[in-house]
Amino acid sequence: MSGNSYNERLFGKGWPRKKLHSGRFEWLRNEINKLELKVASVLELGCFDGRSIRYLPEDIEEYSGYDANWENGLDNAISSYKGIVKYNFILCTKAEDFNPKPKSVDISVSLETLEHIALSELEKYLIKLAEATREYVFITVPNEKGLILFLKYFYKKWIYRKVYDVYSKRELWYATFGKLDKIERKEFGHKGFDYKNLIKKLENYFEIVDVKGIPVSWLPVSLNFTVGNISKTQKIVRRTHLEVVYLISPGLKKS
């Protein structure tokens, strides 16, 4: 792979960076073990090249990974696991492409993905995740506010010398003090993303079991680079059937 590839950027740039980005996968493995889950089938939204498979139970019988194929991640997964029938990889660039069968998997996984989904489509994905999963959903997203945001931005701008989401001085001030409502959200990016708003949305469809920081779980979430969320599926009791249909097809009129 070239030095600019996704995996080189995240996992090949020295111990601290590799440790931080590997943390979400270690968290996934550790939490599945703690819950002593018997996992036969897994659904992953945002699988990239299938790295999560290495951290899942070895005896799983079926894995389905959905991804938009940014930087050819999905192509690499298909090539790496070619001929292994229990691994399936599906191109997914919009909510309409994400169609797992109801109650078809034991657990679902989505690592560092939901922050990249358009706000207009996010709830559609959450509904489908809730409908497809029998037990638990494991989600990680970045912490993009507070002291951690300031430290990340300082590192990217002055040490790594590469910033993807540029903040003005005023925006950086607001973000550092957690006032993300004063920052325009960048669709498909990290800027303005608030993990607390995501958790509120998750509560509409899941029972929140645990929220902790990654990679240092004994520190407050606000002092970690990544936020890990474990949710247990439940019936979608907060919305009528018609309201759920309306969310999936906004063009329909509610009576």
Side-chain angles (χ1 to χ4, degrees), residues 145-209:
K145 63 181 181 179
L147 176 62
I148 291 299
L149 179 279
F150 180 83
L151 293 176
K152 285 198 293 187
Y153 194 75
F154 179 85
Y155 169 80
K156 290 176 181 177
K157 187 173 179 65
W158 300 108
I159 299 177
Y160 187 54
R161 299 284 184 174
K162 197 163 189 177
V163 177
Y164 295 99
D165 295 329
V166 178
Y167 288 75
S168 67
K169 291 181 180 179
R170 182 183 294 272
E171 289 175 327
L172 187 59
W173 172 270
Y174 285 139
T176 300
F177 285 92
K179 298 181 178 181
L180 297 185
D181 58 316
K182 295 184 178 293
I183 299 173
E184 185 177 357
R185 175 79 170 96
K186 180 179 179 181
E187 289 278 76
F188 310 111
H190 287 204
K191 186 177 180 180
F193 174 78
D194 191 339
Y195 68 85
K196 289 187 177 180
N197 288 341
L198 174 64
I199 291 173
K200 289 179 182 178
K201 290 183 182 296
L202 289 172
E203 288 175 340
N204 287 324
Y205 311 107
F206 305 94
E207 173 190 344
I208 307 298
V209 175

Side-chain angles (χ1 to χ4, degrees), residues 1-234:
M1 294 182 180
S2 68
N4 291 323
S5 73
Y6 177 87
N7 283 325
E8 282 296 317
R9 291 198 308 274
L10 271 59
F11 305 105
K13 293 289 184 180
W15 181 84
R17 189 171 176 83
K18 181 177 180 180
K19 179 68 175 177
L20 287 174
H21 287 288
S22 296
R24 59 183 178 268
F25 299 100
E26 297 288 351
W27 168 84
L28 175 64
R29 176 165 57 194
N30 292 340
E31 296 302 326
I32 289 175
N33 290 337
K34 285 180 185 178
L35 290 168
E36 299 181 342
L37 297 178
K38 301 292 185 181
V39 181
S41 52
V42 179
L43 164 68
E44 182 169 13
L45 176 60
C47 65
F48 195 66
D49 64 358
R51 178 178 288 263
S52 296
I53 292 173
R54 309 177 202 173
Y55 298 83
L56 294 170
E58 294 182 357
D59 58 349
I60 62 171
E61 299 172 3
E62 182 180 359
Y63 167 93
S64 296
Y66 290 78
D67 195 83
N69 202 30
W70 290 4
E71 300 190 49
N72 300 313
L74 192 69
D75 290 339
N76 292 335
I78 293 172
S79 176
S80 297
Y81 294 98
K82 185 177 181 180
I84 304 179
V85 178
K86 68 178 181 179
Y87 298 139
N88 301 289
F89 300 96
I90 304 101
L91 179 65
C92 177
T93 60
K94 55 187 183 297
E96 287 72 19
D97 299 331
F98 185 54
N99 289 304
K101 295 179 181 179
K103 300 300 177 187
S104 58
V105 296
D106 294 324
I107 67 170
S108 290
V109 177
S110 186
L111 308 182
E112 308 298 291
T113 296
L114 298 184
E115 69 274 16
H116 296 296
I117 292 177
L119 291 176
S120 60
E121 294 220 307
L122 178 58
E123 206 142 10
K124 300 175 189 178
Y125 279 100
L126 296 183
I127 290 170
K128 292 182 179 183
L129 274 176
E131 292 176 340
T133 312
R134 288 191 288 265
E135 295 190 54
Y136 291 90
V137 177
F138 298 83
I139 294 170
T140 71
V141 291
N143 178 5
E144 294 295 333
K145 63 181 181 179
L147 176 62
I148 291 299
L149 179 279
F150 180 83
L151 293 176
K152 285 198 293 187
Y153 194 75
F154 179 85
Y155 169 80
K156 290 176 181 177
K157 187 173 179 65
W158 300 108
I159 299 177
Y160 187 54
R161 299 284 184 174
K162 197 163 189 177
V163 177
Y164 295 99
D165 295 329
V166 178
Y167 288 75
S168 67
K169 291 181 180 179
R170 182 183 294 272
E171 289 175 327
L172 187 59
W173 172 270
Y174 285 139
T176 300
F177 285 92
K179 298 181 178 181
L180 297 185
D181 58 316
K182 295 184 178 293
I183 299 173
E184 185 177 357
R185 175 79 170 96
K186 180 179 179 181
E187 289 278 76
F188 310 111
H190 287 204
K191 186 177 180 180
F193 174 78
D194 191 339
Y195 68 85
K196 289 187 177 180
N197 288 341
L198 174 64
I199 291 173
K200 289 179 182 178
K201 290 183 182 296
L202 289 172
E203 288 175 340
N204 287 324
Y205 311 107
F206 305 94
E207 173 190 344
I208 307 298
V209 175
D210 190 28
V211 178
K212 66 176 56 173
I214 302 170
V216 189
S217 60
W218 52 267
L219 283 176
V221 171
S222 61
L223 295 180
N224 271 275
F225 288 81
T226 303
V227 182
N229 178 287
I230 302 175
S231 297
K232 188 171 178 58
T233 57
Q234 59 182 358

